[in-house]
Amino acid sequence: MNLGHTPGPWKAEGSERTLASWVKGPDGKRICTMRQSEHDWGNALAIAALPDVIAALEVSEATIRRLAKTDAALASCQGTLGLIAAAIAKARMPA
């Protein structure tokens, strides 16, 4: 499946005390670089977590659908499933 992004795992590099922070893919190439700001290290950490967060959301969605054995149970989970689907869609390239 084409994920629309570099496959994980991703790793944040730099720190709160460096002039810049960046995220590298498994091949060691930079995916992105954050300019110096008060939030660049936190942003780098959040971006680096993206492949893991998507995978966790996909497993969560499948688990909810598997465990919701009745239509009523599934209906009660629609709000959560909608949030999961929206988050995954936001991280994916349009088809």
Coordinates of all heavy atoms in Angstrom, one line a residue:
M1 N 0.8 -1.2 0.0 CA 0.0 0.0 0.0 C 0.9 1.2 0.0 O 1.8 1.3 0.8 CB -0.9 0.0 1.3 CG -1.7 1.3 1.4 SD -2.5 1.5 3.0 CE -3.3 0.0 3.3
N2 N 0.6 2.2 -0.9 CA 1.3 3.5 -0.9 C 0.8 4.3 0.2 O -0.4 4.8 0.2 CB 1.1 4.2 -2.2 CG 1.8 5.5 -2.3 OD1 2.5 5.9 -1.3 ND2 1.7 6.2 -3.4
L3 N 1.6 4.6 1.2 CA 1.2 5.3 2.4 C 1.3 6.8 2.1 O 0.7 7.6 2.9 CB 2.1 5.0 3.6 CG 2.1 3.6 4.0 CD1 3.1 3.4 5.1 CD2 0.8 3.1 4.5
G4 N 2.0 7.2 1.1 CA 2.1 8.7 0.8 C 3.2 9.3 1.6 O 3.3 10.5 1.6
H5 N 3.9 8.6 2.4 CA 5.0 9.1 3.2 C 6.1 8.1 3.3 O 5.9 6.9 3.0 CB 4.5 9.6 4.5 CG 4.0 8.6 5.4 ND1 4.7 7.6 6.0 CD2 2.7 8.3 5.8 CE1 3.9 6.8 6.7 NE2 2.7 7.2 6.6
T6 N 7.3 8.5 3.7 CA 8.4 7.6 3.9 C 8.0 6.6 5.0 O 7.5 7.0 6.1 CB 9.6 8.3 4.4 OG1 9.9 9.3 3.5 CG2 10.8 7.4 4.6
P7 N 8.1 5.3 4.8 CA 7.8 4.3 5.8 C 8.6 4.5 7.1 O 9.7 5.0 7.0 CB 8.2 2.9 5.2 CG 8.2 3.2 3.7 CD 8.6 4.6 3.5
G8 N 8.1 4.1 8.2 CA 8.8 4.3 9.5 C 9.7 3.1 9.7 O 9.9 2.3 8.8
P9 N 10.4 3.1 10.8 CA 10.3 4.1 11.9 C 11.1 5.4 11.5 O 12.0 5.4 10.8 CB 11.0 3.4 13.0 CG 12.0 2.4 12.4 CD 11.4 2.0 11.1
W10 N 10.6 6.4 12.1 CA 11.2 7.8 12.0 C 11.9 8.1 13.3 O 11.4 7.6 14.4 CB 10.2 8.8 11.7 CG 9.6 8.7 10.3 CD1 9.8 7.7 9.4 CD2 8.5 9.5 9.8 NE1 9.0 7.9 8.3 CE2 8.2 9.0 8.5 CE3 7.8 10.5 10.3 CZ2 7.2 9.5 7.7 CZ3 6.8 11.1 9.5 CH2 6.5 10.6 8.2
K11 N 12.9 8.9 13.3 CA 13.6 9.3 14.5 C 13.9 10.8 14.5 O 14.4 11.4 13.6 CB 15.0 8.6 14.6 CG 15.7 8.8 15.8 CD 17.1 8.1 15.8 CE 17.8 8.4 17.1 NZ 19.1 7.9 17.1
A12 N 13.5 11.4 15.7 CA 13.8 12.8 15.9 C 15.2 13.0 16.3 O 15.7 12.2 17.1 CB 12.9 13.4 16.9
E13 N 15.9 14.0 15.7 CA 17.3 14.3 16.1 C 17.4 15.8 16.4 O 16.7 16.6 15.9 CB 18.3 13.8 15.1 CG 18.3 12.3 14.9 CD 19.4 11.8 14.0 OE1 20.1 12.7 13.3 OE2 19.5 10.6 13.9
G14 N 18.4 16.1 17.2 CA 18.6 17.4 17.7 C 18.2 17.4 19.2 O 18.2 16.3 19.8
S15 N 17.8 18.5 19.7 CA 17.3 18.5 21.1 C 16.7 19.9 21.4 O 16.7 20.7 20.5 CB 18.5 18.2 22.1 OG 19.3 19.4 22.2
E16 N 16.3 20.0 22.6 CA 15.8 21.3 23.0 C 16.8 22.4 23.0 O 16.5 23.6 22.9 CB 15.2 21.2 24.4 CG 14.0 20.4 24.6 CD 13.5 20.2 26.0 OE1 14.1 20.8 26.9 OE2 12.5 19.5 26.2
R17 N 18.1 22.0 23.0 CA 19.2 23.0 23.1 C 19.9 23.2 21.8 O 20.8 24.0 21.8 CB 20.2 22.6 24.2 CG 19.5 22.6 25.6 CD 20.5 22.2 26.7 NE 20.7 20.7 26.6 CZ 20.0 19.8 27.2 NH1 18.9 20.2 27.8 NH2 20.3 18.5 27.2
T18 N 19.5 22.5 20.7 CA 20.2 22.7 19.5 C 19.6 23.8 18.6 O 18.4 24.2 18.9 CB 20.3 21.4 18.6 OG1 18.9 21.0 18.4 CG2 21.0 20.3 19.4
L19 N 20.2 24.3 17.6 CA 19.7 25.4 16.8 C 18.6 24.9 15.8 O 17.8 25.7 15.4 CB 20.8 26.0 15.9 CG 21.9 26.7 16.8 CD1 23.0 27.3 15.8 CD2 21.3 27.9 17.5
A20 N 18.6 23.6 15.6 CA 17.5 23.0 14.7 C 17.3 21.6 15.1 O 18.1 21.0 15.8 CB 17.9 23.1 13.3
S21 N 16.1 21.1 14.8 CA 15.8 19.7 15.0 C 15.3 19.2 13.7 O 14.9 19.9 12.8 CB 14.7 19.6 16.1 OG 15.1 20.1 17.3
W22 N 15.4 17.9 13.5 CA 15.0 17.2 12.3 C 14.5 15.8 12.5 O 14.7 15.3 13.6 CB 16.1 17.2 11.3 CG 17.4 16.6 11.8 CD1 17.8 15.3 11.7 CD2 18.4 17.3 12.5 NE1 19.0 15.1 12.4 CE2 19.4 16.3 12.9 CE3 18.6 18.6 13.0 CZ2 20.5 16.6 13.6 CZ3 19.8 18.9 13.7 CH2 20.7 17.9 14.0
V23 N 13.9 15.3 11.5 CA 13.4 13.9 11.6 C 14.0 13.1 10.4 O 14.0 13.6 9.3 CB 11.8 13.9 11.5 CG1 11.3 12.4 11.5 CG2 11.2 14.7 12.6
K24 N 14.5 11.9 10.7 CA 15.1 11.1 9.7 C 14.3 9.8 9.6 O 13.7 9.3 10.5 CB 16.5 10.7 10.1 CG 17.5 11.9 10.0 CD 18.9 11.4 10.2 CE 19.9 12.5 10.0 NZ 21.3 12.0 10.2
G25 N 14.3 9.3 8.3 CA 13.6 8.0 8.1 C 14.6 6.9 8.3 O 15.7 7.1 8.8
P26 N 14.1 5.6 8.1 CA 15.0 4.5 8.4 C 16.2 4.4 7.5 O 17.2 3.7 7.9 CB 14.0 3.3 8.1 CG 13.0 3.8 7.2 CD 12.8 5.3 7.5
D27 N 16.2 5.1 6.4 CA 17.4 5.1 5.5 C 18.4 6.2 6.0 O 19.5 6.4 5.4 CB 17.0 5.3 4.1 CG 16.3 6.6 3.8 OD1 16.1 7.4 4.8 OD2 15.9 6.9 2.7
G28 N 18.1 7.0 7.0 CA 19.0 8.0 7.5 C 18.8 9.3 6.8 O 19.5 10.3 7.2
K29 N 18.0 9.4 5.8 CA 17.7 10.7 5.1 C 16.8 11.5 5.9 O 15.8 11.0 6.5 CB 17.2 10.4 3.7 CG 18.2 9.8 2.8 CD 17.6 9.6 1.4 CE 18.7 8.9 0.5 NZ 18.1 8.6 -0.8
R30 N 17.0 12.8 5.9 CA 16.1 13.8 6.6 C 14.7 13.8 5.9 O 14.6 13.9 4.7 CB 16.7 15.2 6.6 CG 17.8 15.3 7.6 CD 18.1 16.7 7.8 NE 19.3 16.8 8.8 CZ 19.8 17.9 9.2 NH1 19.3 19.1 8.8 NH2 20.8 17.9 10.0
I31 N 13.7 13.7 6.7 CA 12.3 13.9 6.2 C 11.9 15.3 6.3 O 11.3 15.9 5.4 CB 11.4 13.0 7.0 CG1 11.7 11.5 6.8 CG2 9.9 13.3 6.7 CD1 11.0 10.5 7.7
C32 N 12.3 16.0 7.4 CA 12.0 17.4 7.5 C 13.0 18.0 8.6 O 13.6 17.3 9.4 CB 10.6 17.6 8.0 SG 10.2 16.9 9.6
T33 N 13.1 19.3 8.5 CA 13.9 20.1 9.4 C 13.0 21.2 10.0 O 12.3 21.9 9.3 CB 15.1 20.7 8.7 OG1 15.9 19.6 8.1 CG2 16.0 21.4 9.7
M34 N 13.1 21.4 11.3 CA 12.4 22.5 11.9 C 13.3 23.6 12.2 O 14.4 23.4 12.6 CB 11.8 22.0 13.3 CG 10.4 21.4 13.2 SD 10.3 19.9 12.2 CE 11.4 18.7 13.1
R35 N 12.9 24.8 11.9 CA 13.7 26.0 12.2 C 13.7 26.2 13.7 O 12.7 25.8 14.4 CB 13.1 27.2 11.5 CG 13.2 27.1 10.0 CD 12.7 28.3 9.3 NE 12.8 28.1 7.9 CZ 12.6 29.1 7.0 NH1 12.3 30.3 7.4 NH2 12.7 28.9 5.7
Q36 N 14.6 26.9 14.1 CA 14.7 27.2 15.6 C 13.5 28.0 16.1 O 13.2 29.0 15.6 CB 16.0 28.0 15.9 CG 16.2 28.1 17.4 CD 17.5 28.9 17.7 OE1 18.1 29.5 16.8 NE2 17.9 28.9 18.9
S37 N 12.8 27.4 17.0 CA 11.7 28.0 17.7 C 11.6 27.3 19.0 O 12.2 26.3 19.3 CB 10.4 27.9 16.9 OG 9.9 26.6 17.0
E38 N 10.7 27.9 19.9 CA 10.5 27.3 21.2 C 9.9 25.9 21.1 O 9.9 25.1 22.0 CB 9.7 28.2 22.1 CG 8.3 28.4 21.6 CD 7.5 29.3 22.5 OE1 7.3 29.0 23.7 OE2 7.1 30.4 22.0
H39 N 9.3 25.6 19.9 CA 8.5 24.3 19.8 C 9.2 23.3 18.9 O 8.6 22.2 18.6 CB 7.1 24.6 19.3 CG 6.3 25.5 20.2 ND1 6.0 25.1 21.5 CD2 5.9 26.7 20.0 CE1 5.3 26.1 22.0 NE2 5.2 27.1 21.1
D40 N 10.4 23.6 18.3 CA 10.9 22.7 17.3 C 11.2 21.3 17.7 O 10.9 20.4 17.0 CB 12.1 23.4 16.5 CG 13.3 23.5 17.4 OD1 13.2 23.6 18.6 OD2 14.4 23.5 16.8
W41 N 11.7 21.1 18.9 CA 12.0 19.8 19.4 C 10.7 19.0 19.7 O 10.6 17.9 19.3 CB 12.9 19.8 20.7 CG 13.2 18.5 21.2 CD1 12.9 18.0 22.5 CD2 13.9 17.4 20.5 NE1 13.4 16.7 22.6 CE2 14.0 16.3 21.4 CE3 14.4 17.3 19.2 CZ2 14.6 15.1 21.0 CZ3 15.0 16.1 18.9 CH2 15.1 15.0 19.8
G42 N 9.7 19.6 20.3 CA 8.4 19.0 20.4 C 7.8 18.6 19.1 O 7.2 17.5 19.0
N43 N 7.9 19.5 18.2 CA 7.3 19.2 16.8 C 8.1 18.0 16.2 O 7.4 17.2 15.6 CB 7.5 20.4 15.9 CG 6.5 21.6 16.3 OD1 5.6 21.4 17.0 ND2 6.9 22.8 15.9
A44 N 9.4 18.0 16.3 CA 10.2 16.9 15.8 C 9.7 15.6 16.4 O 9.6 14.6 15.7 CB 11.7 17.1 16.0
L45 N 9.5 15.6 17.7 CA 9.1 14.3 18.4 C 7.7 13.9 17.9 O 7.5 12.7 17.6 CB 9.1 14.5 19.9 CG 10.5 14.7 20.5 CD1 10.3 15.1 22.0 CD2 11.3 13.5 20.4
A46 N 6.8 14.8 17.7 CA 5.5 14.5 17.3 C 5.5 14.0 15.9 O 4.8 13.0 15.5 CB 4.6 15.8 17.4
I47 N 6.2 14.6 15.0 CA 6.3 14.2 13.6 C 6.9 12.8 13.5 O 6.5 11.9 12.8 CB 7.1 15.2 12.8 CG1 6.3 16.5 12.6 CG2 7.5 14.6 11.4 CD1 7.1 17.7 12.1
A48 N 8.0 12.5 14.3 CA 8.6 11.2 14.3 C 7.7 10.1 14.7 O 7.9 9.0 14.3 CB 9.9 11.3 15.2
A49 N 6.7 10.4 15.5 CA 5.8 9.4 16.0 C 4.7 9.1 15.0 O 4.0 8.1 15.2 CB 5.1 9.9 17.3
L50 N 4.6 9.8 13.9 CA 3.4 9.7 13.0 C 3.3 8.2 12.5 O 2.1 7.7 12.6 CB 3.6 10.6 11.8 CG 2.5 10.5 10.8 CD1 1.1 10.9 11.4 CD2 2.8 11.3 9.6
P51 N 4.3 7.5 12.0 CA 4.0 6.2 11.5 C 3.5 5.3 12.6 O 2.6 4.4 12.3 CB 5.4 5.7 11.0 CG 6.1 7.0 10.7 CD 5.7 8.0 11.7
D52 N 4.0 5.4 13.8 CA 3.5 4.6 14.9 C 2.1 4.9 15.3 O 1.3 4.1 15.6 CB 4.4 4.7 16.1 CG 5.8 4.2 15.8 OD1 6.0 3.3 15.1 OD2 6.8 4.9 16.4
V53 N 1.7 6.2 15.3 CA 0.4 6.7 15.6 C -0.6 6.1 14.6 O -1.7 5.6 14.9 CB 0.3 8.2 15.8 CG1 -1.1 8.7 15.9 CG2 1.2 8.7 16.9
I54 N -0.3 6.2 13.3 CA -1.2 5.7 12.3 C -1.4 4.2 12.5 O -2.5 3.7 12.4 CB -0.6 6.0 10.9 CG1 -0.6 7.5 10.6 CG2 -1.4 5.2 9.8 CD1 0.1 7.9 9.3
A55 N -0.3 3.5 12.7 CA -0.5 2.0 12.9 C -1.3 1.7 14.1 O -2.2 0.8 14.1 CB 0.9 1.4 13.1
A56 N -1.2 2.5 15.2 CA -2.0 2.3 16.4 C -3.5 2.6 16.1 O -4.4 1.9 16.6 CB -1.5 3.1 17.6
L57 N -3.7 3.6 15.4 CA -5.1 4.0 15.0 C -5.7 2.9 14.1 O -6.9 2.5 14.3 CB -5.2 5.3 14.3 CG -4.9 6.5 15.2 CD1 -4.8 7.8 14.3 CD2 -6.1 6.7 16.2
E58 N -5.0 2.3 13.2 CA -5.5 1.3 12.3 C -5.8 0.0 13.1 O -6.9 -0.6 12.9 CB -4.5 1.0 11.2 CG -4.4 2.1 10.2 CD -3.3 1.9 9.2 OE1 -2.3 1.2 9.4 OE2 -3.5 2.5 8.1
V59 N -5.0 -0.3 14.1 CA -5.2 -1.5 14.9 C -6.5 -1.2 15.8 O -7.3 -2.1 16.0 CB -4.0 -1.9 15.8 CG1 -4.3 -2.9 16.8 CG2 -2.9 -2.4 14.9
S60 N -6.5 0.0 16.3 CA -7.7 0.4 17.2 C -9.0 0.3 16.4 O -10.0 -0.3 16.9 CB -7.5 1.8 17.7 OG -6.4 1.9 18.6
E61 N -9.0 0.8 15.2 CA -10.2 0.7 14.4 C -10.6 -0.7 14.1 O -11.8 -1.1 14.3 CB -10.0 1.5 13.1 CG -11.2 1.4 12.2 CD -10.9 2.1 10.8 OE1 -9.8 2.1 10.4 OE2 -11.9 2.7 10.3
A62 N -9.7 -1.6 13.7 CA -10.0 -3.0 13.5 C -10.5 -3.7 14.7 O -11.4 -4.5 14.7 CB -8.7 -3.7 12.9
T63 N -9.9 -3.3 15.9 CA -10.3 -4.0 17.1 C -11.7 -3.6 17.5 O -12.5 -4.4 17.9 CB -9.3 -3.6 18.3 OG1 -8.0 -4.0 17.9 CG2 -9.7 -4.2 19.6
I64 N -12.0 -2.3 17.4 CA -13.4 -1.9 17.7 C -14.4 -2.6 16.8 O -15.4 -3.1 17.3 CB -13.5 -0.3 17.6 CG1 -12.7 0.4 18.7 CG2 -15.0 0.1 17.6 CD1 -12.5 1.9 18.5
R65 N -14.1 -2.6 15.5 CA -15.0 -3.3 14.6 C -15.2 -4.8 14.9 O -16.2 -5.3 14.8 CB -14.6 -3.1 13.2 CG -14.7 -1.7 12.7 CD -14.4 -1.5 11.2 NE -14.4 -0.1 10.9 CZ -15.5 0.6 10.7 NH1 -16.7 0.1 10.9 NH2 -15.5 1.9 10.3
R66 N -14.1 -5.4 15.4 CA -14.1 -6.8 15.7 C -14.9 -7.1 17.0 O -15.7 -8.1 17.1 CB -12.7 -7.4 15.8 CG -12.6 -8.9 16.1 CD -11.2 -9.4 16.1 NE -10.2 -8.6 16.8 CZ -10.0 -8.6 18.1 NH1 -10.7 -9.4 18.9 NH2 -9.1 -7.8 18.7
L67 N -14.7 -6.2 18.0 CA -15.4 -6.4 19.3 C -16.8 -6.0 19.3 O -17.6 -6.4 20.2 CB -14.5 -5.7 20.4 CG -13.1 -6.3 20.6 CD1 -12.4 -5.4 21.6 CD2 -13.2 -7.7 21.0
A68 N -17.2 -5.1 18.4 CA -18.6 -4.6 18.4 C -19.4 -5.6 17.7 O -19.6 -5.5 16.5 CB -18.6 -3.2 17.7
K69 N -19.9 -6.6 18.4 CA -20.5 -7.7 17.8 C -22.0 -7.5 17.3 O -22.5 -8.3 16.6 CB -20.5 -8.9 18.7 CG -19.1 -9.2 19.3 CD -18.8 -10.6 18.9 CE -17.4 -11.0 19.5 NZ -16.6 -11.5 18.5
T70 N -22.6 -6.4 17.8 CA -24.0 -6.1 17.4 C -24.0 -4.8 16.6 O -23.1 -4.0 16.8 CB -24.9 -6.1 18.6 OG1 -24.5 -5.0 19.4 CG2 -24.8 -7.4 19.4
D71 N -25.1 -4.6 15.9 CA -25.2 -3.3 15.2 C -25.3 -2.2 16.2 O -24.8 -1.1 16.0 CB -26.5 -3.3 14.3 CG -26.3 -4.2 13.1 OD1 -25.1 -4.5 12.7 OD2 -27.3 -4.6 12.5
A72 N -26.0 -2.4 17.3 CA -26.1 -1.4 18.4 C -24.7 -1.0 19.0 O -24.4 0.2 19.2 CB -27.0 -1.8 19.5
A73 N -23.9 -2.0 19.2 CA -22.6 -1.8 19.8 C -21.7 -1.0 18.7 O -21.0 -0.1 19.1 CB -21.9 -3.1 20.1
L74 N -21.8 -1.4 17.5 CA -21.1 -0.7 16.5 C -21.5 0.8 16.3 O -20.8 1.7 16.2 CB -21.1 -1.4 15.1 CG -20.2 -0.9 14.0 CD1 -18.8 -1.0 14.4 CD2 -20.4 -1.8 12.8
A75 N -22.9 0.9 16.4 CA -23.4 2.3 16.3 C -22.9 3.2 17.4 O -22.7 4.4 17.2 CB -24.9 2.2 16.3
S76 N -22.8 2.6 18.6 CA -22.3 3.4 19.7 C -20.8 3.8 19.6 O -20.4 4.7 20.3 CB -22.5 2.6 21.1 OG -21.6 1.6 21.2
C77 N -20.1 3.2 18.7 CA -18.7 3.5 18.5 C -18.5 4.4 17.3 O -17.3 4.7 17.0 CB -17.9 2.2 18.3 SG -18.0 1.1 19.8
Q78 N -19.5 4.8 16.6 CA -19.4 5.5 15.4 C -18.6 6.8 15.5 O -17.8 7.2 14.7 CB -20.7 5.7 14.7 CG -21.3 4.5 14.0 CD -20.3 3.8 13.1 OE1 -19.8 4.4 12.2 NE2 -20.1 2.5 13.2
G79 N -18.9 7.5 16.7 CA -18.1 8.8 16.9 C -16.6 8.5 17.0 O -15.8 9.2 16.4
T80 N -16.3 7.5 17.7 CA -14.8 7.2 17.9 C -14.3 6.7 16.5 O -13.2 7.1 16.2 CB -14.6 6.1 18.9 OG1 -15.2 6.5 20.2 CG2 -13.2 5.7 19.1
L81 N -15.0 5.9 15.8 CA -14.5 5.4 14.5 C -14.4 6.5 13.5 O -13.4 6.6 12.7 CB -15.4 4.3 14.0 CG -15.4 3.0 14.7 CD1 -16.5 2.1 14.3 CD2 -14.0 2.3 14.5
G82 N -15.3 7.5 13.6 CA -15.2 8.7 12.8 C -13.9 9.5 13.0 O -13.3 10.0 12.1
L83 N -13.6 9.7 14.3 CA -12.4 10.4 14.7 C -11.1 9.7 14.2 O -10.2 10.3 13.7 CB -12.3 10.6 16.2 CG -13.4 11.6 16.8 CD1 -13.3 11.5 18.3 CD2 -13.1 13.0 16.3
I84 N -11.1 8.4 14.4 CA -10.0 7.6 13.9 C -9.8 7.7 12.4 O -8.7 7.9 11.9 CB -10.2 6.1 14.3 CG1 -10.0 5.9 15.9 CG2 -9.2 5.2 13.6 CD1 -10.4 4.6 16.4
A85 N -10.9 7.5 11.7 CA -10.9 7.6 10.2 C -10.4 9.0 9.7 O -9.6 9.1 8.8 CB -12.3 7.3 9.6
A86 N -10.9 10.0 10.4 CA -10.5 11.4 10.0 C -9.0 11.6 10.3 O -8.3 12.2 9.5 CB -11.3 12.4 10.8
A87 N -8.5 11.1 11.4 CA -7.1 11.3 11.7 C -6.2 10.5 10.7 O -5.2 11.1 10.2 CB -6.8 10.8 13.1
I88 N -6.6 9.3 10.4 CA -5.8 8.5 9.4 C -5.9 9.2 8.0 O -4.9 9.4 7.3 CB -6.4 7.1 9.3 CG1 -6.1 6.3 10.6 CG2 -5.8 6.4 8.1 CD1 -6.7 5.0 10.7
A89 N -7.1 9.7 7.6 CA -7.2 10.4 6.3 C -6.4 11.6 6.3 O -5.8 12.0 5.2 CB -8.7 10.7 6.1
K90 N -6.3 12.4 7.4 CA -5.5 13.6 7.4 C -4.0 13.3 7.2 O -3.3 14.1 6.6 CB -5.7 14.3 8.7 CG -5.1 15.7 8.8 CD -5.6 16.4 10.1 CE -5.0 17.8 10.2 NZ -5.5 18.4 11.4
A91 N -3.6 12.1 7.6 CA -2.1 11.8 7.5 C -1.8 11.1 6.1 O -0.7 10.9 5.8 CB -1.7 10.8 8.6
R92 N -2.8 10.8 5.3 CA -2.6 10.1 4.1 C -2.8 11.1 2.9 O -3.5 12.0 3.0 CB -3.7 9.0 3.9 CG -3.6 7.9 4.9 CD -2.8 6.8 4.4 NE -2.9 5.6 5.3 CZ -1.9 5.2 6.0 NH1 -0.8 5.7 6.0 NH2 -2.1 4.1 6.8
M93 N -2.1 10.7 1.8 CA -2.3 11.5 0.6 C -3.6 11.2 0.0 O -4.1 10.0 0.1 CB -1.2 11.2 -0.4 CG 0.2 11.7 0.0 SD 1.5 11.3 -1.2 CE 0.9 12.2 -2.7
P94 N -4.3 12.1 -0.7 CA -5.5 11.8 -1.3 C -5.3 10.8 -2.4 O -4.3 10.7 -3.1 CB -6.0 13.2 -1.9 CG -5.1 14.2 -1.3 CD -3.9 13.5 -0.8
A95 N -6.3 9.9 -2.6 CA -6.3 8.9 -3.6 C -6.4 9.5 -5.0 O -6.8 10.5 -5.3 CB -7.4 7.9 -3.4

